Amino acid sequence: MAKRTKYFYNPKTLSFEKVSDHRSYVRWRLFGTTSLIVVLVIGLSFLFTHFYVKFQMLPAQQNIGATKKELRIAERQIEALEERLQSLEEKDISIYRGIFNVDPPAPIDFRGRDYKELERLPLGKMLKHLKTKLDSLELLANKQEKSYLKLEKLATNRIKAIDAIPAIMPVANKDLKRWASGFGYRLDPFYHTPSFHPGMDFTADVGTEVYATAAGVVQTTKSEAWSYGNHIILDHGFGYSTLYGHLSRFTVRPGQRVKRGQLIGYVGSTGRSTGPHLHYEVRKYKNPLNPAFFYRNDLTDEQYQRMIELSQREATRFD
């Protein structure tokens, strides 16, 4: 099976770019974050119980040398956990900035606590140092937990943003033979003069199924004697909307949520039309974009290049 490359129009660079879907990466990243936090919580609980509580109740005759040895082992374990947490924090910062293009959470401000009780115990200085490390790690672990929740929310929004981008053709067109007229200045079929065509026309018989090209909400189902005739406008969020014109009938209603690929109506020749076809538009913040660059889920690289060539050919509009 041919590899499919995903494309989208970037209004900032005014160019068409390949889409990089971060879903799998982000999901695995979040899974790893959760696992590490669980390990750290268990480890910190064990260290605190095994050492801090134990040393708080030390009998005077306890072997000081053995105690020091155990404390040093605990300190090395804590330092290893601290390094892992700091490494995770650094990776999170790169994810915030590199993938989601937002600022990471602010650094924690750890100023220590009152450890006077520990100083009165045998080996009080070592215990104080150890407890300070544990408290600092606890704050860092809490921060990472909050960071995980924020990343989860950002990942969910990113997935929704990807789903909001129109990504399939609105009618079945595997053989790429349904093109009638592309985006841009085309010859008007009524006045026979060049005029701007804000969408793409697909030739199809009356009754041909029309599909939503991205998930969204039905904003409008309207019937007009002229213009787009019976038409549907879907609001996909994140500034994207799509229009499906000259339909024979609808299968959705205003306010209804739809999924990509869901049947929403049937091809017709209503309104300002010279024959059965679908007029399809893609808009970003109400500005029309070339629909030819929004079929990333339907086409191989070869089909995509062929489709671009066909859509740029001069052809008389159907509306």
Side-chain angles (χ1 to χ4, degrees):
M1 182 176 179
K3 181 179 178 182
R4 293 179 177 179
T5 304
K6 302 179 179 183
Y7 298 87
F8 78 107
Y9 178 78
N10 187 334
K12 292 183 178 179
T13 61
L14 300 178
S15 62
F16 304 96
E17 304 174 358
K18 293 183 179 180
V19 172
S20 177
D21 194 338
H22 303 290
R23 299 184 197 192
S24 299
Y25 174 75
V26 172
R27 284 171 179 165
W28 278 110
R29 182 70 189 83
L30 296 179
F31 174 77
T33 303
T34 307
S35 302
L36 183 54
I37 288 174
V38 171
V39 170
L40 287 169
V41 170
I42 294 174
L44 291 174
S45 299
F46 169 77
L47 289 170
F48 177 76
T49 303
H50 186 67
F51 293 103
Y52 175 58
V53 176
K54 179 179 176 181
F55 291 137
Q56 199 172 23
M57 302 175 65
L58 279 175
Q61 66 271 22
Q62 179 73 31
N63 187 304
I64 299 298
T67 302
K68 284 183 178 181
K69 182 178 179 181
E70 292 294 329
L71 282 172
R72 291 192 183 99
I73 293 173
E75 185 176 15
R76 286 195 294 271
Q77 291 174 325
I78 290 173
E79 288 174 350
L81 289 174
E82 186 177 31
E83 288 179 4
R84 293 183 65 186
L85 263 179
Q86 289 174 345
S87 175
L88 182 62
E89 184 180 28
E90 291 173 0
K91 291 177 180 177
D92 278 358
I93 290 174
S94 66
I95 290 177
Y96 280 111
R97 290 175 176 164
I99 295 179
F100 299 114
N101 196 28
V102 297
D103 292 330
I108 59 173
D109 182 15
F110 177 70
R111 301 182 182 181
R113 299 175 182 173
D114 187 359
Y115 304 110
K116 291 181 180 179
E117 293 182 2
L118 291 176
E119 293 177 349
R120 291 194 289 268
L121 296 173
L123 302 177
K125 288 184 178 181
M126 292 187 70
L127 285 171
K128 178 181 176 181
H129 177 70
L130 194 65
K131 188 61 170 62
T132 303
K133 283 277 190 182
L134 284 171
D135 288 340
S136 174
L137 281 177
E138 183 180 13
L139 286 177
L140 193 55
N142 289 337
K143 178 192 174 184
Q144 285 305 117
E145 184 178 13
K146 292 178 181 178
S147 176
Y148 159 77
L149 295 174
K150 185 173 181 179
L151 282 175
E152 184 180 39
K153 183 177 180 180
L154 288 170
T156 300
N157 288 338
R158 173 57 60 89
I159 291 171
K160 288 181 179 178
I162 292 173
D163 289 340
I165 300 174
I168 63 174
M169 286 179 279
V171 295
N173 189 32
K174 291 183 179 180
D175 56 6
L176 303 182
K177 293 182 179 180
R178 291 192 180 275
W179 307 116
S181 178
F183 180 88
Y185 282 89
R186 297 289 188 271
L187 192 65
D188 188 288
F190 292 92
Y191 303 111
H192 305 290
T193 57
S195 60
F196 183 71
H197 190 229
M200 179 173 284
D201 291 341
F202 292 84
T203 59
D205 296 331
V206 172
T208 300
E209 295 179 331
V210 176
Y211 308 103
T213 57
V217 177
V218 179
Q219 178 179 316
T220 301
T221 58
K222 191 174 183 180
S223 297
E224 296 177 332
W226 194 241
S227 188
Y228 293 115
N230 297 334
H231 64 279
I232 297 171
I233 298 177
L234 301 182
D235 182 3
H236 306 290
F238 301 91
Y240 285 101
S241 63
T242 51
L243 181 146
Y244 311 77
H246 311 296
L247 304 175
S248 58
R249 62 189 180 96
F250 315 124
T251 61
V252 292
R253 63 186 183 278
Q256 179 180 340
R257 298 199 68 86
V258 296
K259 297 179 180 179
R260 178 180 289 144
Q262 181 175 331
L263 176 67
I264 59 173
Y266 297 91
V267 170
S269 186
T270 58
R272 188 181 188 273
S273 172
T274 58
H277 76 289
L278 172 70
H279 174 84
Y280 172 64
E281 294 183 16
V282 175
R283 301 168 177 174
K284 183 71 179 290
Y285 297 113
K286 299 183 179 181
N287 296 313
L289 303 175
N290 190 342
F293 297 99
F294 290 87
Y295 305 133
R296 62 182 174 84
N297 281 12
D298 277 349
L299 306 174
T300 63
D301 285 351
E302 292 76 15
Q303 289 173 322
Y304 175 79
Q305 293 301 327
R306 174 65 176 160
M307 179 269 299
I308 294 297
E309 292 174 4
L310 290 172
S311 67
Q312 291 176 344
R313 289 181 179 177
E314 290 291 336
T316 302
R317 296 160 42 182
F318 272 53
D319 51 32

